[in-house]
Amino acid sequence: MEKTKETMRPFQRANQSSRHTLSTGRLPVSSRCSRNGARGPFQLLVLLCLFSVSFAWQSGNVHLSKQVSRIPLTLHAETTQRKPHPRKRHNNYRDDGNRQFNQTLVQSGSADDLLDLIASHNRCLAQPQAGGSLNSINFSTALHRLARHSSFASRESASVRASILSNPRFALLLASIGEALHGDTIPFGGREICNMAWALAKLQIAPPLSVMPRADDNSRDALEQVSTQVRQAVLQVAVDRREGRSESDATAWIPLLSQLAGHLVDYLQQFAAIKVGKEQFLQMQEMSNMMWASATANRANDQVFATIADRMMIQQRELLENKPEEECLKPQEWSNTVWAIAKSGISMDASVYVYIADLVTHSEFFSQAFKPQEWSDLMWGTATSVSSMARARNEVQQQDVDFPVLEKAALDIMRAGCRFIISRQAEWFKTQELSNSA
C-alpha cells in the first residue's frame, strides 16, 4: 500500500498544481519562471502540459479499471472456446504399467529371458488374449524382439530360432496374439501389425502358400480356430507332464503353430489393406515393411500388394507437396517394395515402375541417396518383374499391362542405376550387389 502511495504522489502533485492554476490563473511557485525569463508563452506551454498530465491520469484510471475488469472474462472466454489438443493417431498404452513393462521387454538380454518375463507377468499366457494384461504394443514388441534375438546371434541364430519355436511359451504368446486380433477388444495400430508381420517373416515359421493355401473367405474364423487349438494342445501337454504321462508328444502343437503363423501373416495383410486408406494409419516405411514381410514369408496377396502400392504413390505425392525431398524421399522404401513384388512373382500395374522411374530420373537427390544394396534390389526387382510378366503376357491376367510403358520405365530405372554405379566407380558396391545389378 505504501508503495502505491509513493507511486501516485507525483501525479497527485501534478493534479494539485493544475487545480491551483485553474483557480488563481497563476502558476504555482515551484513552476513559475524566473523573473528574467519569458513569461507568457512559456507559462502557457507549462500550463498545457499540466492539463495533459492531469487529464491523462484521470482518464487513464478509468480506462485501466475497465481493462482490468475485462481481463478475467477475456481469458475465461478464450479458455472455454479453445479446442482440445488433438490426440495422437494411435495410443495403445493402457497405463504406465504397460509402458514400463514394454521397456523391460526391450531390455531383455535373450529370447529365454523375454519369454520368462511374459510368462511371469500376471500369468497372462495361461489366459486367452493374455488376460488383458498386455496391449498391442506389448504384443508387437515381444514378437519383434524375439525375431531380433534370433538374428543377432549370427553363428547361433539357427539354434536360437529353434529354441524359440519349440518353446511352449512362444506358442501361447502367438495364440494370445491371434485371439487378440480376432476379439477386437485390443486396438492394433499400423506400426504394430507391420512389426509383427516382419517378425513372423524373420522367424521363418509360416508355411508358404504352396503348402498351406490362403483362407480368404474365412481367414478371421480360421485365425480364431487355430489359436484355440494351439492353446489347447500346449496346455494338454502340460497336464500330461504334471500327471506323469510322458508318452504324450511334447511337440505335437508345433505343426499347429506353423499354421497359426500362416493365418496371422494372411490376416495382418488383410488388416493392413482395410486400414491403409485411413489417413496416416500406415507410414511409408510400414507399408514397405508389410510387403517385404509378406514376400519373405511366401504368402503375398496380390490384391493387398496392389492396394498398398497405390496408397504409397498417393502418400508420397502428398508428402512431396508439403515437405522437401530430403525429408520424405527414402530409397529403401521403394527398393524394398520392388524387391517384394519381384520375390512374390506378383504381376503389378506399370504405374508403380513409371512412378519410381520418374523419381530417379528427375530427382537428383533421390537418385544419389541410394545405398548400393538399395540400387541392387531396385534393379534386380525391376528386371525380374518385367521379365516374368513378359513371359506371361499371353495369359488372361496380363492383358491389362501396358508393356511398352512398362519397358520404358524399366529402362529408365536401369539407366539411372548404371549412372550411379559409374559415378561411384563401383567402389561402394560389393561383388554380389554388382552381380545382382548386372
Side-chain angles (χ1 to χ4, degrees):
M1 189 67 183
E2 292 295 326
K3 187 175 181 181
T4 305
K5 290 181 178 179
E6 288 291 328
T7 307
M8 294 181 63
R9 278 173 186 168
F11 298 98
Q12 291 174 350
R13 285 196 294 267
N15 207 9
Q16 292 172 1
S17 299
S18 63
R19 292 197 197 99
H20 176 79
T21 304
L22 287 173
S23 61
T24 63
R26 300 177 61 188
L27 292 172
V29 176
S30 59
S31 301
R32 292 174 189 172
C33 302
S34 64
R35 293 181 180 181
N36 297 328
R39 291 175 178 245
F42 186 80
Q43 288 180 352
L44 181 60
L45 177 62
V46 174
L47 182 63
L48 290 174
C49 292
L50 289 173
F51 270 122
S52 301
V53 170
S54 177
F55 181 80
W57 169 248
Q58 292 177 357
S59 61
N61 281 337
V62 177
H63 180 70
L64 182 62
S65 63
K66 291 181 180 179
Q67 290 295 326
V68 171
S69 64
R70 283 201 299 266
I71 286 176
L73 296 176
T74 305
L75 291 177
H76 179 69
E78 291 177 355
T79 304
T80 54
Q81 294 176 3
R82 186 179 300 161
K83 294 182 180 180
H85 190 276
R87 297 183 64 184
K88 294 181 179 179
R89 70 182 179 91
H90 190 66
N91 183 10
N92 276 336
Y93 280 124
R94 187 182 61 183
D95 52 29
D96 291 338
N98 288 110
R99 184 179 290 105
Q100 294 173 0
F101 184 66
N102 207 67
Q103 294 174 353
T104 306
L105 293 176
V106 173
Q107 296 169 0
S108 60
S110 65
D112 289 336
D113 292 343
L114 188 145
L115 290 171
D116 287 340
L117 284 170
I118 298 175
S120 60
H121 185 66
N122 300 330
R123 298 181 60 84
C124 60
L125 292 182
Q127 309 170 58
Q129 301 186 39
S133 297
L134 304 180
N135 60 16
S136 63
I137 299 179
N138 298 147
F139 281 130
S140 172
T141 301
L143 198 57
H144 188 270
R145 293 302 299 174
L146 287 172
R148 297 288 289 179
H149 283 307
S150 69
S151 58
F152 276 152
S154 56
R155 294 183 179 179
E156 302 175 357
S157 58
S159 60
V160 173
R161 172 180 170 273
S163 65
I164 293 174
L165 301 185
S166 61
N167 195 317
R169 293 169 296 180
F170 173 73
L172 292 176
L173 173 64
L174 221 58
S176 297
I177 293 174
E179 294 160 350
L181 285 168
H182 176 268
D184 279 343
T185 56
I186 300 176
F188 282 82
R191 179 175 298 179
E192 289 86 75
I193 63 172
C194 293
N195 283 347
M196 290 191 295
W198 179 90
L200 291 170
K202 275 287 185 181
L203 289 169
Q204 302 176 22
I205 184 175
L209 285 174
S210 58
V211 175
M212 190 186 86
R214 189 168 43 244
D216 289 328
D217 296 335
N218 57 348
S219 59
R220 188 174 178 182
D221 295 336
L223 182 63
E224 179 193 24
Q225 181 181 359
V226 180
S227 297
T228 303
Q229 291 175 354
V230 168
R231 179 175 295 280
Q232 291 175 348
V234 173
L235 295 179
Q236 185 60 47
V237 170
V239 170
D240 292 343
R241 286 182 176 179
R242 187 170 60 248
E243 296 178 355
R245 293 197 294 268
S246 59
E247 67 277 2
S248 62
D249 189 0
T251 59
W253 42 267
I254 290 183
L256 288 172
L257 182 65
S258 180
Q259 295 180 29
L260 175 58
H263 288 303
L264 277 172
V265 173
D266 295 343
Y267 185 78
L268 291 173
Q269 287 185 83
Q270 295 177 0
F271 190 89
I274 294 173
K275 297 289 187 178
V276 75
K278 186 178 179 181
E279 184 177 1
Q280 297 300 316
F281 182 80
L282 289 178
Q283 303 298 323
M284 293 285 294
Q285 185 65 46
E286 294 164 358
M287 289 186 279
S288 175
N289 287 347
M290 175 59 76
M291 298 178 74
W292 180 93
S294 304
T296 303
N298 293 313
R299 301 197 64 82
N301 187 323
D302 53 350
Q303 295 179 353
V304 172
F305 270 42
T307 302
I308 293 179
D310 288 342
R311 179 59 193 173
M312 285 185 68
M313 289 186 288
I314 294 173
Q315 196 158 317
Q316 185 70 85
R317 293 188 186 99
E318 294 174 351
L319 289 172
L320 287 172
E321 290 176 357
N322 301 310
K323 294 182 179 180
E325 293 181 352
E326 294 79 1
E327 295 183 13
C328 61
L329 278 178
K330 304 293 190 303
Q332 186 184 29
E333 297 167 354
W334 291 106
S335 64
N336 282 353
T337 298
V338 173
W339 180 92
I341 294 171
K343 177 70 168 59
S344 60
I346 290 176
S347 298
M348 293 290 292
D349 187 80
S351 59
V352 178
Y353 304 96
V354 171
Y355 186 72
I356 298 174
D358 183 67
L359 289 177
V360 298
T361 303
H362 296 96
S363 174
E364 182 69 19
F365 166 79
F366 186 65
S367 61
Q368 295 299 318
F370 275 80
K371 297 177 181 179
Q373 182 63 51
E374 294 164 353
W375 262 122
S376 175
D377 290 343
L378 178 61
M379 297 174 73
W380 176 87
T382 302
T384 303
S385 296
V386 172
S387 60
S388 62
M389 284 190 285
R391 287 193 298 268
R393 67 188 306 169
N394 294 327
E395 298 181 8
V396 176
Q397 62 268 29
Q398 297 297 319
Q399 291 181 352
D400 295 334
V401 178
D402 193 340
F403 276 96
V405 174
L406 177 63
E407 291 172 351
K408 182 182 182 303
L411 186 59
D412 290 340
I413 293 174
M414 294 300 175
R415 286 172 175 167
C418 291
R419 286 194 298 269
F420 181 86
I421 296 174
I422 295 172
S423 66
R424 295 294 187 271
Q425 297 181 356
E427 58 185 7
W428 287 7
F429 284 76
K430 298 177 182 179
T431 305
Q432 184 65 43
E433 294 167 350
L434 285 173
S435 176
N436 290 343
S437 301

